[in-house]
Amino acid sequence: NAGVTQTPKFRILKIGQSMTLQCAQDMNHNYMYWYRQDPGMGLKLIYYSVGAGITDKGEVPNGYNVSRSTTEDFPLRLELAAPSQTSVYFCATSGRGGSNQPQHFGDGTRLSIL
Amino acid sequence: GQQLNQSPQSMFIQEGEDVSMNCTSSSIFNTWLWYKQDPGEGPVLLIALYKAGELTSNGRLTAQFGITRKDSFLNISASIPSDVGIYFCAGQLGAQKLVFGQGTRLTINP
């Protein structure tokens, strides 16, 4: 059972570089989410998607972009990496059937920007 | 934005002791969730609460959804070493968006 798969697990970027964090799920879940977790803090929502072709901003979307061309994949793109984006990024999914579906998380991507 | 106040921020206990932590909010949530996060991993769901006043157990864990829908607590009975980790409460909004507390770091002395 793969569940939610995030790649890469670790990455170091230089300021101004771009990269895409990948998130794939095999549970046929409609809803997908991207969070960031700064040291000693809870998770904050960056972007989310309620289905293929539909995305919306969360609490901290600045500096990020997302796309949802398929149900399975929800990549997160950083266009111009900044030190403030050093964080651990978590992808999560939840299933069909309304609002009472708990979210399931991947193991995270640890991103450092130097 | 909405915020959850989770307390305590950290706990240091002896193995076998009971643990209690709670979350409060100025906003009403439809669902309260409790997650545990181990180092280097993503949060794992422990308990989900869907109705005000609901009391739910999962093994040694018990959680309640406050009557006002603005608070929740999590109790762990007879703690064991594998309970070590960070516990997060989360309130769920529309479109299933989650707002997380700051976490409670649990350390257990054997």
Side-chain angles (χ1 to χ4, degrees):
Chain A
N1 293 336
V4 181
T5 301
Q6 290 186 238
T7 56
K9 293 189 183 303
F10 304 93
R11 185 74 183 267
I12 298 174
L13 285 182
K14 293 182 180 179
I15 295 171
Q17 285 186 320
S18 62
M19 79 162 291
T20 299
L21 283 66
Q22 303 290 344
C23 177
Q25 54 111 349
D26 61 0
M27 297 175 284
N28 201 30
H29 283 174
N30 278 355
Y31 294 74
M32 296 187 75
Y33 310 81
W34 274 105
Y35 294 88
R36 61 177 286 171
Q37 184 179 30
D38 297 329
M41 302 293 289
L43 285 70
K44 293 189 176 181
L45 183 64
I46 305 172
Y47 269 96
Y48 67 101
S49 168
V50 300
I54 305 169
T55 62
D56 209 344
K57 295 178 180 179
E59 183 182 358
V60 288
N62 291 344
Y64 307 94
N65 280 300
V66 293
S67 59
R68 184 93 182 273
S69 56
T70 67
T71 299
E72 293 77 20
D73 300 295
F74 189 39
L76 176 72
R77 182 149 182 92
L78 284 69
E79 291 292 351
L80 288 172
S84 62
Q85 294 177 305
T86 294
S87 190
V88 182
Y89 291 84
F90 288 100
C91 178
T93 74
S94 61
R96 299 171 178 270
S99 61
N100 289 341
Q101 299 294 323
Q103 293 184 20
H104 301 272
F105 287 81
D107 284 338
T109 294
R110 283 144 189 83
L111 180 63
S112 294
I113 297 162
L114 306 175
Chain B
Q2 282 135 325
Q3 289 186 331
L4 296 185
N5 296 312
Q6 186 172 348
S7 64
Q9 290 189 357
S10 60
M11 301 183 73
F12 299 85
I13 63 169
Q14 297 294 123
E15 184 177 348
E17 288 184 3
D18 297 342
V19 172
S20 184
M21 60 191 78
N22 67 82
C23 267
T24 60
S25 171
S26 58
S27 303
I28 290 174
F29 290 100
N30 296 327
T31 300
W32 280 88
L33 305 163
W34 285 93
Y35 287 87
K36 179 175 183 274
Q37 186 177 28
D38 291 328
E41 298 183 9
V44 174
L45 181 67
L46 298 174
I47 292 180
L49 302 159
Y50 299 111
K51 295 181 182 179
E54 178 181 357
L55 184 71
T56 297
S57 293
N58 178 8
R60 293 177 296 106
L61 278 62
T62 302
Q64 184 157 30
F65 191 157
I67 286 290
T68 64
R69 292 164 61 194
K70 294 183 178 181
D71 61 294
S72 177
F73 71 74
L74 174 71
N75 289 341
I76 305 172
S77 63
S79 58
I80 60 178
S82 62
D83 291 333
V84 166
I86 304 176
Y87 292 80
F88 290 98
C89 62
Q92 187 164 298
L93 303 168
Q96 308 190 32
K97 293 180 287 184
L98 293 181
V99 178
F100 281 84
Q102 306 96 315
T104 295
R105 182 180 297 273
L106 180 62
T107 302
I108 297 175
N109 298 317

